Amino acid sequence: MDKLQTMKAFVTVVTEGSFTQAAERLSTSPQLISKYVAQLERQLNVRLLNRTTRRIHLTEAGQLYLLRAQNLLNEVDTMEAELADMSTQAQGTLRISAPVSFAIQHLGPAIQEFQQLHPKVTVDLQLNDRKVDIVDEGFDIALRIGKLKSSSFVAKRIAPIRLVICAAPQYLRENGVPRHPSDLAHHRRLYYSYADLKSTPESFIPNAQTQEGALYSNNGDVLVAAAMAGAGILMQPTFIVGSFLKTGALQQILHDFEPEPIALYAMFAHRQFMASKVRAFLEFINDYYGEPPYWDNF
């Protein structure tokens, strides 16, 4: 027999003053209420109530149990109310993992606007370009950039991500403008260490012939700074290089060989019983950047 049910039956009998009134309050029969109380006394091996034909009286053990039971039932009611609120109103701490460069350049304003719409949500934003384990590391959402792979997690596509090949005008003047990907073999290339090789053109996959004199980094901003200083040719997403292409600090090359676009995804563990804070963020971020996104305006 359910302990909370028997506990609630006992407390209701005491507060209502009779088994009959307790049964009416709980929409059941007096016989069942009496069965619950008797079962509770057998479980505890102590008498909680002295019954007469007209009244019921609490024993000393019954008084102690009543106080504790009321506190426990109040705690359960409070917990259920709080959980109900969490399923309907966005609140609590939302832990998000996001790529470093993307978050620094494009996520700050979005987080601020989201929190203005949902002031009860605290955001814990962790920046990391590696693929975090959402469940083991306690994240609600992981923003990832690449091609979608099979996974036990759920993925929601947020925005397309263009990849362009570019270099500083100075570098191109001094070293020539490649007209075909095969021409890149004669140029210094700047490589992103965490690049998804399945999404990377062959000309930007390091090998024994291309490693000498190359620059590698696990941060796109470092590579962009090196490119603008004339260090070589790089392939980077437009959310990093778009503003520099617009100002002319970088120049796109090999337009006809632009890699196939990838995408920004929001990864999360489950669709079922999704917390309102997660649902609210996914709904908010879905249309935030546009398609094409604003950073492609160059």
Side-chain angles (χ1 to χ4, degrees):
M1 193 172 293
D2 184 82
K3 286 188 178 181
L4 284 177
Q5 198 171 30
T6 57
M7 188 183 298
K8 190 172 184 178
F10 169 76
V11 171
T12 307
V13 167
V14 176
T15 55
E16 294 295 325
S18 75
F19 285 82
T20 301
Q21 291 177 344
E24 292 179 359
R25 178 74 178 272
L26 298 176
S27 301
T28 187
S29 67
Q31 293 79 10
L32 187 57
I33 294 296
S34 179
K35 181 180 179 180
Y36 284 155
V37 174
Q39 176 69 20
L40 183 61
E41 289 179 325
R42 285 195 297 271
Q43 287 176 345
L44 298 173
N45 196 30
V46 66
R47 180 171 293 278
L48 300 174
L49 295 173
N50 287 320
R51 307 160 179 82
T52 66
T53 55
R54 294 185 178 181
R55 298 183 62 186
I56 58 173
H57 301 274
L58 282 169
T59 65
E60 183 179 1
Q63 291 175 341
L64 176 62
Y65 187 83
L66 175 66
L67 178 62
R68 299 290 179 85
Q70 284 177 322
N71 290 337
L72 284 172
L73 290 172
N74 288 338
E75 286 292 325
V76 170
D77 289 342
T78 299
M79 177 190 66
E80 290 179 344
E82 289 176 352
L83 291 176
D85 285 343
M86 289 183 70
S87 67
T88 57
Q89 182 180 12
Q91 59 182 301
T93 299
L94 180 67
R95 297 198 72 228
I96 302 173
S97 171
V100 177
S101 296
F102 180 84
I104 291 173
Q105 297 190 34
H106 302 287
L107 201 53
I111 295 294
Q112 181 183 13
E113 187 174 334
F114 171 74
Q115 288 189 290
Q116 288 175 344
L117 294 172
H118 303 282
K120 290 189 176 182
V121 177
T122 299
V123 175
D124 180 1
L125 177 62
Q126 300 292 318
L127 307 188
N128 202 316
D129 286 336
R130 68 178 176 84
K131 289 180 172 58
V132 301
D133 189 303
I134 300 173
V135 174
D136 286 351
E137 298 183 47
F139 287 102
D140 297 296
I141 294 173
L143 297 179
R144 291 181 180 169
I145 295 171
K147 282 191 174 180
L148 186 62
K149 300 177 181 178
S150 59
S151 169
S152 59
F153 300 120
V154 185
K156 182 178 180 65
R157 182 180 179 276
I158 304 300
I161 301 292
R162 282 178 61 192
L163 298 170
V164 297
I165 301 172
C166 55
Q170 174 190 351
Y171 174 88
L172 296 174
R173 285 194 301 269
E174 294 176 354
N175 297 276
V177 179
R179 304 299 178 186
H180 188 273
S182 60
D183 297 337
L184 293 173
H186 308 293
H187 289 266
R188 188 168 188 245
R189 277 158 284 178
L190 313 178
Y191 294 105
Y192 178 58
S193 304
Y194 289 162
D196 180 358
L197 297 184
K198 292 184 179 180
S199 305
T200 303
E202 185 177 352
S203 54
F204 269 89
I205 297 178
N207 55 51
Q209 285 72 42
T210 63
Q211 287 179 355
E212 185 175 350
L215 172 63
Y216 297 83
S217 177
N218 63 351
N219 181 265
D221 293 299
V222 170
L223 296 174
V224 169
M228 289 194 295
I233 296 175
L234 81 166
M235 182 185 70
Q236 280 291 293
T238 52
F239 69 76
I240 295 180
V241 299
S243 60
F244 301 111
L245 294 171
K246 191 171 185 177
T247 62
L250 290 175
Q251 179 180 329
Q252 184 179 358
I253 59 174
L254 299 173
H255 293 73
D256 294 337
F257 301 94
E258 182 174 311
E260 182 181 345
I262 52 179
L264 169 68
Y265 293 94
M267 309 285 292
F268 50 101
H270 306 287
R271 289 188 189 276
Q272 192 176 23
F273 304 126
M274 185 186 298
S276 58
K277 60 185 179 182
V278 176
R279 185 184 302 108
F281 184 80
L282 292 174
E283 290 174 354
F284 169 82
I285 204 70
N286 184 55
D287 300 317
Y288 184 82
Y289 296 111
E291 190 160 341
Y294 62 78
W295 54 72
D296 279 346
N297 183 25
F298 57 84

